[in-house]
Amino acid sequence: MKRKIQALALATLTSTAALFSSSAQAVEIEYWQYFFDARVAAMEQLIEGFEAENPDITVKMTHFPYADYRTKVAAAIPAGEGPDVVQLFYGWLNDYKDAKLIQPLPASDFPVEQIDKDFFPMVQAMKEGENYWALPTAVRSLALFYNKRLFDEAGVESPPTNLEELVETAKKLTKFDGAGNITQVGITAGMNAQDHHWFREVLVRQMGGDPYKDDYKTVNYNNEAGQKALDYYVGLAKEDKVTSFGFMDEPQAAFKAGRAGMHIDGSFRIGALEETRGLKWGVAELPAGPDGVKSNYSSYWVNAITSKAEGEKYDAAVKFMSYITSDEAMQIWLDTVGELPAKPSVGMTDDNANNEIFGPFIRGLEYAHTTIFVNESAQRQALMDMVSRMDIEGQSAADAIAVAAEEEQKILDEYYNK
């Protein structure tokens, strides 16, 4: 009996020791992103899958409204609080690096050569020297949304494939009231939305130019190609009369309301349009340029390891980063959020590349460019002012674009020469 009691006591001590050992080895890390229903739902799935594969690691997700997000991150990390892995817009990378909010990904786990090979090329904007600083689970591109009901009413059978066809199609879709006021635009227009990307990385290139030089440090659209691109864009409103700047305030609002025949926007708009009752719409690749040149713009949100992550939390963060940038994670993100896989191995499968909705965006990634912004809002404002000078003040394309180029170059110089 005495031996049985001793054996039971030993077993109890062993199991208790094992429990404490397991608890000591367990680690919790925090993941932060901005709040958007579908993105939160997707990350919940990914966290569940990761924790199943790594039972010694717990991931706590925190999210904030978009308007508060950057402020919260900037305040938490220097105080040793907040996320170990954080989501940020690719255009914020330099700000986060300069503020020492994030640290480079270890080359042993994220070798540069392998990432260059596996991911779409625009992701290379996230690397510096021997390291990547951040990686996306998903990317975005632009495409042409079109209203199927308005196309049917106008007798238009298919979306335009080039810029000339875009104008002719838009003319058939535009409506005016008795006083000559536009009541339905053939295509939306507004640099405040995605058109500043369409201008820079698509129209300028299609007119034979290159919007920037020196790895996006030097503005290069103040030339004949840039003027042609600007004349074409502003001409949609001033000459062709198929749109109006400021129509219903936001371009996407006009399309959602059924008051626009066509609308250029990002793949992130899919979810909102799917929830818009009574709206029948389709998607096509962006129209090609005069010489058949195709171009697109891609943006993305990335995940990075913060400077707060140290020791076992750092090791856990590296594992989590590897998981959420895997092929499996990218397919889950596409299915749940509608944003595009960051790797061709996932995006260019037959099912995904030929999908009626996702396909045009995914195919556009093959010829997409990613602008390296230092201050996206200020750089966008320079182009908004450029269009206003032509639309309201009657400036020529040459004069308007010269001022815009000077303003944007000053923004770039102030950043790179500080």
Side-chain angles (χ1 to χ4, degrees):
M1 183 67 178
K2 184 176 181 181
R3 287 180 179 176
K4 287 183 178 181
I5 293 173
Q6 288 175 334
L8 180 61
L10 180 60
T12 302
L13 286 171
T14 302
S15 62
T16 302
L19 177 62
F20 278 107
S21 174
S22 175
S23 298
Q25 292 174 0
V27 58
E28 179 180 270
I29 60 173
E30 285 195 54
Y31 176 81
W32 281 20
Q33 67 171 337
Y34 76 89
F35 178 77
F36 185 76
D37 282 333
R39 298 171 77 88
V40 171
M43 187 51 65
E44 286 174 345
Q45 289 186 56
L46 296 184
I47 290 173
E48 183 179 350
F50 175 76
E51 290 180 344
E53 291 185 11
N54 300 272
D56 58 330
I57 302 175
T58 300
V59 181
K60 176 186 175 184
M61 176 171 56
T62 300
H63 44 75
F64 299 95
Y66 180 83
D68 302 330
Y69 184 66
R70 292 189 71 178
T71 303
K72 296 284 188 181
V73 171
I77 295 174
E81 301 171 353
D84 301 287
V85 179
V86 66
Q87 190 179 86
L88 60 137
F89 188 61
Y90 87 94
W92 303 344
L93 182 72
N94 288 328
D95 293 340
Y96 276 60
K97 284 167 53 183
D98 292 347
K100 295 181 170 53
L101 297 177
I102 59 175
Q103 53 185 309
L105 303 178
S108 56
D109 296 274
F110 301 93
V112 167
E113 297 81 4
Q114 193 66 42
I115 295 172
D116 287 350
K117 176 176 174 290
D118 290 347
F119 283 75
F120 281 111
M122 77 283 293
V123 173
Q124 293 175 24
M126 297 298 99
K127 87 177 164 185
E128 184 178 276
E130 300 301 316
N131 296 90
Y132 269 82
W133 282 76
L135 283 174
T137 300
V139 294
R140 303 162 165 182
S141 66
L142 301 177
L144 181 74
F145 289 92
Y146 61 96
N147 186 309
K148 291 184 175 181
R149 181 180 62 80
L150 298 185
F151 265 53
D152 289 342
E153 285 181 1
V156 180
E157 295 183 358
S158 59
T161 61
N162 59 54
L163 294 179
E164 184 179 354
E165 288 180 5
L166 184 144
V167 173
E168 295 309 310
T169 301
K171 287 180 179 178
K172 296 176 182 178
L173 297 163
T174 307
K175 294 181 180 179
F176 301 87
D177 63 17
N181 300 308
I182 198 164
T183 58
Q184 177 178 296
V185 295
I187 184 168
T188 60
M191 290 284 185
N192 57 319
Q194 299 301 305
D195 284 2
H196 69 113
H197 301 308
W198 184 38
F199 171 78
R200 281 191 185 89
E201 297 293 5
V202 182
L203 293 178
V204 171
R205 293 181 185 277
Q206 290 176 335
M207 299 303 174
D210 191 339
Y212 300 89
K213 296 189 298 184
D214 306 322
D215 198 22
Y216 285 85
K217 295 182 176 68
T218 304
V219 173
N220 191 46
Y221 52 72
N222 183 19
N223 47 38
E224 184 180 359
Q227 290 173 29
K228 285 182 178 179
L230 184 56
D231 270 329
Y232 176 85
Y233 180 75
V234 176
L236 293 172
K238 304 295 284 185
E239 306 298 330
D240 303 313
K241 310 291 186 184
V242 297
T243 193
S244 175
F245 299 115
F247 183 74
M248 293 189 68
D249 294 330
E250 294 183 335
Q252 62 269 24
F255 189 77
K256 285 179 68 176
R259 302 272 299 280
M262 295 178 289
H263 171 60
I264 290 175
D265 211 334
S267 45
F268 50 84
R269 193 67 60 194
I270 292 172
L273 295 180
E274 285 180 333
E275 295 174 0
T276 304
R277 295 181 61 183
L279 186 66
K280 290 180 61 180
W281 52 275
V283 184
E285 290 181 62
L286 293 181
D291 297 322
V293 174
K294 290 186 174 184
S295 190
N296 206 311
Y297 163 76
S298 178
S299 65
Y300 44 93
W301 285 75
V302 292
N303 298 294
I305 298 175
T306 71
S307 52
K308 174 211 169 195
E310 298 177 343
E312 61 183 6
K313 287 183 178 289
Y314 175 80
D315 295 338
V318 169
K319 286 185 178 181
F320 187 58
M321 276 288 301
S322 294
Y323 183 83
I324 61 178
T325 54
S326 65
D327 287 20
E328 176 189 0
M330 291 181 187
Q331 186 63 51
I332 288 174
W333 203 267
L334 174 64
D335 294 338
T336 307
V337 184
E339 293 182 330
L340 317 174
K343 294 180 181 177
S345 58
V346 187
M348 297 309 294
T349 63
D350 286 343
D351 286 346
N352 288 338
N354 295 317
N355 183 279
E356 184 179 5
I357 299 300
F358 300 132
F361 292 102
I362 292 173
R363 294 193 295 274
L365 292 173
E366 294 187 291
Y367 46 83
H369 303 269
T370 296
T371 312
I372 301 175
F373 289 105
V374 299
N375 186 332
E376 186 187 11
S377 60
Q379 290 175 258
R380 179 176 63 242
Q381 188 63 51
L383 297 196
M384 290 170 62
D385 293 342
M386 173 184 72
V387 171
S388 293
R389 285 192 295 274
M390 288 188 69
D391 181 40
I392 300 173
E393 300 175 22
Q395 271 193 354
S396 67
D399 290 341
I401 206 168
V403 175
E406 183 178 352
E407 289 178 352
E408 188 169 6
Q409 189 61 58
K410 183 178 179 182
I411 295 167
L412 295 174
D413 291 343
E414 286 178 350
Y415 176 83
Y416 288 111
N417 298 328
K418 64 185 176 183

